């Protein structure tokens, strides 16, 4: 994966596929560009160019020397798109990445053709702050396996623990061993970046065609929060993935892929 | 629209688009090929050839001189596909049309690439029978406006009545005036055809890639019934359209279209 | 049952039990005082005096010679309570009866100790109006069995049709034979009385301890409408009966009874 | 509170009220007899004698010198009831306490008049085991505030965090400071006691009148698990508390109290 200097740090990204249309994907807080490895090929096979990337403090991107606000990622993305000469794209963000996507859509709508918001919230509720504080507490242990053991149950649904227990255990095993002291410090900076996030009053300004994806058993960003976004963003479609928790792209990849492909397909032929 | 002689009656169909891939669409009991006019262009623009049709006793197809079982429509469809030399297609059915689609998928799986089942049930519950009996009662009046006034409230959601009251009133007005005595007789034959429909024990034999669409406020074929199909059909994806009643293709056409397009897109590139 | 002259018509009521505390029960639009026969003994055994009654145009009360607004029933109830020298009571209303109860609570709060609102709405939605129009259309037939066949499927849940099909058929049989031409005329006056009902802006003025009962499969007055009342009425408790349709007192009498008894019990000892 | 020697350890209990009828309350895993202080007066005022208690390893009861199975608490309860000469009672258990209550009901039905099961499960799902493992991990820190910060977000709903943030912070503050090293060791023994709990196949043997309470946003013991119990226990009533998480007795005490009072009231007059 290529690395570029953006706003003073080395940013990791991957550009795959050959299409005219570009899909940019923004990670949830614990994810990285690699997390999408199982989904990107489906988008590429359907003719999209796909840009995945690590925010500062994520994956292979350089850690940030200091604290920042979540809006910084929108600026970093802006710079990356310029550098890659991407003048128009569809922007998909899940959870924390969805929050970045909403900020970007409000600030740089002219760079976007459409928006896909999965399992995200337009504000920080007390509950979401408490979840963040719990994860911070867990991160202090600087032990990958302990961290995952503590953080995972609220992320995944009971259904998924029934369906895919081995996948979950393998993930805990593999990921748990790889989390370094630097990762935890970076995680805490990410986590501190969106404490006062609140776009509820501004959402109506988003005029882009938007797809909103909710899960029926999302204990972190519940259905009501996505409904709120749907109510405010006029040109939005809204779909629910049943028997899924917060991380719908892991729990229900087949449904997640078809929603994204369907939205992009309907969109690309809308005005012809 | 062309008319062909099939199994002794004149069947109305319409074949639109130029693609290699064919999508065949089966109507709900009160619908006709014309009902899909708002959706077909989206499928055509995305490169699909689309076959819509009227079952015997629907739309412009010839009324049936006698009673029949719902399975007859599967035979009629088989004959039509032969006549049109369609050797492989994706089959979408909503409600009653979904029941025909499941029968077809069990009997002629070799003709299908995939299956899309929207707002349908694998059996007749007491409740569904009672709804059928209510509609039969309403049909006896042989008055279009009375019939629609009686039949519509259980079909559409409170949400849709809020969002689209004028559309609903216009539909009642337009459709109401057009329902003839023959239409009501045909409707009653359709309605009598699936009283003993029950595929619950056979569903597991469906091995086709399948998309199941439910609505959260479907008072006719509730979520639980679609979940039951999802549990039995291994290769199925399952998605819920929120704030929609039974007729999801009317209440939420944008979401309906994106689900179909996404499923077909994911499918067509699955094995490459 | 005794009959009294109230506001110019003969009103039928029944007063059962011996307690200090009085529970007054208001019927849904198709119900009558007799509809509560299965529930009243439980309230009486628990020490409540129970007043059931037929609104003008219901049950054994005299039909109204002319049209009226739903608020008239609140005046009739006021007069009946005076006549019976009931100075304070708890008021339970289901559906249409819940709408009367809210009107009464706003106008005569000094006569009430508490309020129980089951499966009701603080306004007429387009959907609820359309259901009313469907029932009016069915009432025009002036045939009991046809009327019930047409009206019942949206009232009861699929669950209830599975659990209690024989009960439902018996009800259709028994009730169907008893509905007279006068009943249908009376029904249409009742039905015309609440077309412009809307208390959404006034609900906040209700300060009484209130219990709100919703059903998870209520296709007539959906959960969201009861949630709206709960949000506006500060001193309200809110409970949902699962696997039940609109007529929760019939579908889930055991749960209905326990909710009412529990609310009254908690209340009567609250201030000691 | 009195302390008695039971099966070799000192057990803490409290018996309040004067009634003929006794209600016995079993705690969730992190709770103690004191947790019910806000609810017991309502039961006492309504004429019930109320027995609250601490399981071995809970509250003021003596820690256990060794590991045990959850069934041990049922034996301890049996011994306590004998000692107190309570020959018949209604048994209420929430979460872990509900699991003890089901075991007790299967083994000693002759001692019970009825059963109340709140937010509990008849088996250990993979998800519930993972939640237990997370809490164990958090307990290893032996720091009250860290423990609560880690454990609380999955227990309480987003709604409750909105409604009652100060209550939650106060609880975290008060409780956090009081958790000792012994508490954490005891907690881990409790947590280890039900790893192989599974009564699904035996539930049908419960013939007692039973009330099942679920919360709509319970991320620990979801609705489906309570529905499963309801399906198996014939004589059960089933009610859902909306806008509540797992700890319904804290999040919605008013509704919790009315459900318990109503169930007991309906019951006590059922056979007269």
């Amino acid at each position: 994966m290529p690395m570029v200097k953006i706003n003073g740090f080395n940013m990791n990204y991957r550009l795959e596929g050959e299409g005219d249309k570009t899909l940019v994907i923004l990670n949830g807080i614990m994810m990285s560009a690699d997390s999408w490895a199982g989904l990107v090929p489906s988008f590429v096979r359907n003719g999209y160019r796909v840009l995945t990337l690590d925010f500062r403090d994520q994956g292979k991107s350089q850690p940030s020397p200091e604290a920042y606000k979540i809006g910084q990622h929108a600026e970093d993305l802006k710079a990356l798109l310029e550098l890659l000469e991407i003048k128009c794209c569809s922007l998909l963000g899940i959870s924390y990445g969805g929050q970045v996507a909403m900020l970007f859509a409000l600030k740089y709508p002219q760079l976007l053709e459409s928006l896909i918001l999965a399992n995200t919230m337009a504000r920080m509720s007390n509950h979401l702050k408490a979840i963040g504080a719990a994860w911070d507490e867990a991160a202090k242990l600087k032990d990958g396996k302990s961290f995952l053991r503590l953080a995972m149950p609220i992320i995944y649904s009971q259904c998924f623990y029934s369906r895919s227990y081995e996948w979950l255990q393998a993930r805990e095993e593999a990921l748990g061993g790889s989390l370094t002291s630097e990762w935890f410090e970076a995680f805490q900076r990410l986590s501190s970046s969106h404490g006062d996030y609140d776009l509820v009053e501004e959402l109506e300004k988003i005029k882009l065609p938007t797809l909103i994806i909710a899960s029926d058993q999302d204990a972190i960003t519940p259905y009501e929060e996505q409904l709120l976004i749907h109510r405010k963003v006029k040109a939005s479609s809204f779909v629910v993935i049943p028997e899924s928790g917060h991380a719908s792209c892991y729990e229900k990849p087949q449904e997640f892929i078809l929603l994204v492909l369907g939205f992009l397909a309907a969109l690309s032929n809308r005005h012809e």
Side-chain angles (χ1 to χ4, degrees), chain A:
Chain A
M1 285 176 70
M3 196 72 88
V4 288
K5 195 89 180 179
I6 291 280
N7 295 335
F9 78 108
N10 288 315
M11 187 178 205
N12 179 50
Y13 74 92
R14 183 183 284 149
L15 198 52
E16 293 166 272
E18 304 285 329
D20 307 334
K21 302 279 187 178
T22 304
L23 173 66
V24 177
I25 301 181
L26 304 182
N27 309 321
I29 198 165
M30 292 182 198
M31 295 168 72
S32 72
D34 292 342
S35 306
W36 300 96
L39 288 84
V40 169
S42 295
F43 304 138
V44 167
R45 276 200 301 269
N46 276 275
Y48 297 98
R49 192 164 62 146
V50 181
L51 174 65
T52 49
L53 57 98
D54 293 329
F55 292 138
R56 54 175 71 201
D57 278 328
Q58 277 194 330
K60 302 192 182 69
S61 284
Q62 206 177 344
S64 175
E66 57 205 6
Y68 48 86
K69 294 281 185 184
I70 186 174
Q72 183 58 47
H73 302 307
E75 302 309 323
D76 296 344
L77 173 59
K78 170 71 162 41
L80 179 64
L81 293 180
E82 269 174 18
L83 196 139
L84 299 175
E85 297 184 350
I86 295 172
K87 299 201 168 51
C88 190
C89 63
S90 286
L91 184 60
L92 181 168
I94 189 165
S95 194
Y96 183 87
Q99 294 186 321
V100 178
M102 284 183 273
L103 283 168
F104 192 93
L106 283 164
K107 191 150 180 199
Y108 304 114
Q110 71 283 4
L111 296 179
L112 297 185
E113 190 180 7
S114 75
L115 195 58
I116 301 173
L117 303 171
N119 305 88
T120 194
M121 280 171 78
R123 56 177 170 183
M124 296 301 290
S125 66
N126 292 335
H127 189 238
L128 195 49
K129 283 179 202 167
I131 294 168
W135 290 346
D136 273 355
E137 195 72 37
K140 283 188 204 157
L141 303 177
K142 307 214 170 180
D143 177 273
K145 288 185 190 179
S146 297
F147 177 77
L148 291 177
R149 200 163 296 143
L150 287 162
M152 278 166 70
I154 204 171
I155 300 179
Y156 300 103
S157 69
Q158 171 168 306
C159 291
F160 192 54
Y161 270 91
S162 295
R163 277 198 309 270
S164 304
Y165 197 43
E166 286 171 26
W167 184 92
L168 279 160
Q169 286 184 307
R171 183 172 166 80
E172 191 177 318
E173 195 67 32
L175 194 57
S178 75
L179 302 183
T180 61
S181 180
E182 287 71 31
W183 189 91
F184 287 111
E185 284 160 20
F187 174 80
Q188 287 177 300
R189 280 189 299 275
L190 286 164
S191 174
S192 304
S193 72
H194 63 146
D196 56 359
Y197 186 88
D198 190 347
L199 297 183
V200 173
E201 296 305 315
E202 295 182 66
L203 279 178
E204 289 176 345
K205 295 180 202 152
I206 298 182
K207 306 295 185 195
L208 291 162
T210 300
L211 170 64
I212 299 163
I213 300 173
S215 301
D216 66 343
Q217 297 179 29
D218 186 335
I220 295 177
T221 54
Y223 172 82
E224 285 71 19
E225 296 295 323
Q226 270 101 160
L227 179 60
L228 187 151
I229 303 175
H230 176 52
R231 291 268 157 77
K232 300 263 185 183
V233 178
K234 274 284 158 52
S236 63
S237 297
F238 184 26
V239 186
V240 177
I241 301 180
E243 308 205 302
S244 176
H246 182 60
S248 59
C249 58
Y250 292 143
E251 291 203 22
K252 291 277 193 172
Q254 206 167 290
E255 280 81 358
F256 194 93
I257 289 167
L258 86 79
L259 290 174
V260 174
L261 287 179
F263 174 70
L264 295 177
L267 190 74
S268 67
N269 291 293
R270 196 172 283 174
H271 310 293
E272 279 169 24

